[in-house]
Amino acid sequence: MAENPRDMSTQIPSNEDTHNENIRCLTTLSHFGFECLPTQLVNKSIQKGFSFNILCVGETGIGKSTLINTLFNINLKENKTSHFYSKVGLKVKTYELQERNIPLKLTVVKTVGYGDQINKEASYQPVIDYLDAQFEAYLQEELKIKRSLVDYNDSRIHVCLYFIAPTGHSLKSLDLVTMKNIDRRVNIIPLIAKADALSKSDLQRFKSNIMSELDNNGIQIYQFQEDDEDAAQANPSGNGLLPFAVVGSMEEVKVGKRMVRGRHYPWGVLQVENENHCDFVKLRDLLLCTHMEDLKDQTHSHHYECYRISRLQQLGFNDTGPDSQPVSFQEMYEAKRQEFHNQCQREEEELKQTFMQRVKEKELTFKDAEKELQDKFEHLKRIQQEETLKLEEERRKLEEQIIDFYKMKAASETSQAQVYTNVKKDKDRKK
């Protein structure tokens, strides 16, 4: 067993007191050895900072912003949302928070206009598209040759706080359909919003109905891991409280001699941080104090992995080859590359065949058109020749008529000259 360095000064023999003056006793300033690893991780994490992404799904005016403000003890002033949106949208905001020198980058994604439309058939689709888009962005970063995942802004949603209206009866069909479609993509924590609208007996009955409906419809919600002793001691029955009945408020009201956050009613004061009034404290402890890292781990190791597997299978990648033998990613890539090359060659050959076929069809069309034009030209040529012959015949006849005319004219002039000569002779004879 090694001796403690701090006690080495007590091990010097007394007969060497003359040399004690030349010995300098050293004490360790902190831990040494690999027991310092947790400290290194803590210092590195604090220096890098933490991030947490929350998705709030719920109807307009159900208290999403108020609960986020109450959870993180901040007052994020936002404009009130209208009820007259034609379709569901998402509003994304990022906040830089700090608590006791611990930085936290908080991203809050809230639905806008959710459940306000008459036709609610596609109300959940924008939520699914956003969740898949964040997974796809992370996957594309992973597949890059030069990755920068350390500095990458991870926007994957770590938890979905699903706000349920305090009807006291059962879940709406929109709630069931939405949670059924997103439970494989995100950790869902159902919340009964504005739980002060229900009595304790109605609230317990409503919780039981909700859990029964979720179980009957096969909807998977986040299960708080209670293997950790600290988490189990802090909240020994976290899963038994689902769905959490919460009330949010940033207003301070006076209770006795102290000021607490709560809501003042004619019948009394509801204290937000009183566990006998609502489950806000249990939700905050489980969400922020004991299970934040587990939510992030579940997002990466379960939900993202499911998406990644599905996407790679869509692209044609598998861990085994056609003979059920394991193959490497390089072999699979080469096989896909060869398959893609062969497919390109087949498509190129098909395009060539199609092009040649179309060229032949065009040639036949041009030949037919050329033949038609040639026949038309020959026909017009024959017509022109016939017209030319007719004109030549008419010109010949006209020339003959002209010749006959001149002959008749000459004969007429000759006869007139004889008559004139005879008349003149008669005149001269009479004289």
Side-chain angles (χ1 to χ4, degrees):
M1 181 69 66
E3 297 177 349
N4 191 340
R6 294 172 181 153
D7 298 333
M8 289 181 63
S9 60
T10 61
Q11 303 299 323
I12 300 174
S14 59
N15 56 358
E16 297 182 1
D17 291 340
T18 58
H19 300 285
N20 287 349
E21 296 178 357
N22 298 326
I23 296 177
R24 184 174 59 179
C25 297
L26 300 177
T27 58
T28 57
L29 299 178
S30 60
H31 299 286
F32 61 93
F34 56 82
E35 63 176 336
C36 299
L37 288 177
T39 305
Q40 296 178 35
L41 293 176
V42 169
N43 294 335
K44 183 178 179 181
S45 299
I46 293 176
Q47 184 179 3
K48 180 182 177 182
F50 300 88
S51 64
F52 195 52
N53 305 326
I54 300 178
L55 170 65
C56 299
V57 180
E59 301 173 358
T60 306
I62 204 169
K64 300 185 291 294
S65 299
T66 303
L67 182 66
I68 293 297
N69 292 345
T70 311
L71 275 173
F72 294 92
N73 196 22
I74 53 178
N75 191 4
L76 306 175
K77 296 182 179 179
E78 297 181 359
N79 297 328
K80 292 185 178 180
T81 305
S82 172
H83 286 266
F84 301 100
Y85 285 95
S86 59
K87 58 182 180 180
V88 178
L90 293 174
K91 183 165 59 175
V92 184
K93 284 196 174 182
T94 302
Y95 309 96
E96 300 288 343
L97 307 179
Q98 191 167 0
E99 183 177 280
R100 294 183 181 179
N101 297 325
I102 304 298
L104 175 66
K105 185 178 181 181
L106 175 66
T107 301
V108 181
V109 183
K110 289 183 288 189
T111 56
V112 177
Y114 180 78
D116 293 342
Q117 296 76 29
I118 296 177
N119 184 7
K120 301 179 176 60
E121 183 177 356
S123 295
Y124 60 87
Q125 192 60 44
V127 179
I128 295 176
D129 294 341
Y130 181 83
L131 294 172
D132 289 345
Q134 310 319 306
F135 285 150
E136 183 65 24
Y138 192 88
L139 177 62
Q140 293 301 322
E141 184 65 26
E142 270 193 336
L143 295 178
K144 288 182 179 178
I145 296 177
K146 294 183 179 180
R147 301 182 300 176
S148 58
L149 293 176
V150 176
D151 301 326
Y152 177 73
N153 181 24
D154 190 0
S155 58
R156 295 174 296 175
I157 297 299
H158 301 133
V159 62
C160 170
L161 301 180
Y162 194 94
F163 290 74
I164 301 171
T167 60
H169 301 291
S170 60
L171 289 170
K172 298 179 181 179
S173 58
L174 177 60
D175 298 331
L176 292 172
V177 172
T178 302
M179 285 192 279
K180 182 64 176 177
N181 281 275
I182 68 174
D183 63 349
R184 293 173 298 171
R185 295 174 168 87
V186 69
N187 301 308
I188 300 176
I189 298 180
L191 307 177
I192 300 176
K194 299 181 178 180
D196 51 343
L198 299 172
S199 64
K200 286 189 174 182
S201 59
D202 291 340
L203 185 60
Q204 292 301 322
R205 188 163 49 250
F206 190 34
K207 283 188 174 186
S208 178
N209 292 341
I210 290 174
M211 295 304 294
S212 177
E213 286 185 277
L214 294 177
D215 184 62
N216 292 336
N217 288 274
I219 298 174
Q220 302 294 325
I221 60 176
Y222 177 72
Q223 296 295 319
F224 292 95
Q225 303 296 327
E226 298 179 353
D227 297 336
D228 187 3
E229 294 182 1
D230 295 335
Q233 291 177 2
N235 290 282
S237 58
N239 294 320
L241 294 173
L242 292 172
F244 292 105
V246 296
V247 178
S249 176
M250 292 299 293
E251 298 179 6
E252 291 189 350
V253 295
K254 189 173 183 179
V255 178
K257 295 182 179 180
R258 54 195 186 90
M259 301 296 291
V260 297
R261 288 189 298 177
R263 295 183 179 273
H264 191 277
Y265 296 100
W267 46 264
V269 176
L270 183 141
Q271 301 178 34
V272 172
E273 296 177 321
N274 190 331
E275 297 185 18
N276 294 323
H277 293 181
C278 66
D279 300 330
F280 172 78
V281 173
K282 294 183 174 63
L283 171 65
R284 182 185 62 189
D285 292 344
L286 288 168
L287 191 63
L288 306 181
C289 299
T290 60
H291 288 78
M292 179 183 286
E293 283 301 316
D294 184 66
L295 287 166
K296 297 169 73 172
D297 291 341
Q298 285 291 322
T299 299
H300 180 77
S301 62
H302 179 65
H303 299 294
Y304 171 71
E305 281 300 315
C306 291
Y307 178 85
R308 177 178 171 276
I309 292 171
S310 176
R311 284 287 290 127
L312 292 179
Q313 287 178 346
Q314 287 178 4
L315 296 174
F317 292 97
N318 291 299
D319 293 332
T320 58
D323 54 354
S324 300
Q325 295 296 324
V327 294
S328 65
F329 187 84
Q330 180 67 24
E331 293 174 344
M332 185 61 66
Y333 171 76
E334 291 296 336
K336 292 298 296 181
R337 183 175 179 275
Q338 185 62 36
E339 181 182 352
F340 179 73
H341 180 69
N342 296 336
Q343 181 180 357
C344 289
Q345 287 185 336
R346 289 195 301 269
E347 292 179 356
E348 183 181 3
E349 189 64 27
E350 291 176 359
L351 287 174
K352 286 182 179 179
Q353 294 294 334
T354 304
F355 177 75
M356 295 301 297
Q357 183 66 26
R358 289 184 178 180
V359 168
K360 290 180 180 179
E361 292 176 357
K362 287 293 183 182
E363 287 179 351
L364 292 176
T365 303
F366 289 150
K367 287 182 179 179
D368 293 340
E370 183 181 7
K371 185 176 181 303
E372 183 179 355
L373 289 174
Q374 186 67 28
D375 294 342
K376 188 175 182 180
F377 173 75
E378 294 294 337
H379 177 67
L380 292 175
K381 186 177 180 180
R382 285 194 300 270
I383 294 176
Q384 183 186 13
Q385 290 175 352
E386 293 175 359
E387 292 291 334
T388 302
L389 292 175
K390 288 181 181 180
L391 290 174
E392 290 291 335
E393 183 67 21
E394 290 179 357
R395 186 174 67 81
R396 187 181 61 77
K397 291 180 179 180
L398 182 60
E399 288 178 350
E400 291 178 353
Q401 291 177 0
I402 291 173
I403 293 172
D404 293 340
F405 173 75
Y406 280 113
K407 287 180 179 179
M408 292 174 61
K409 181 180 178 182
S412 175
E413 290 178 350
T414 303
S415 61
Q416 286 181 359
Q418 290 178 356
V419 171
Y420 178 75
T421 303
N422 293 333
V423 171
K424 186 175 180 181
K425 287 178 180 181
D426 290 340
K427 287 181 178 181
D428 292 339
R429 196 180 296 119
K430 289 179 180 180
K431 289 180 178 181

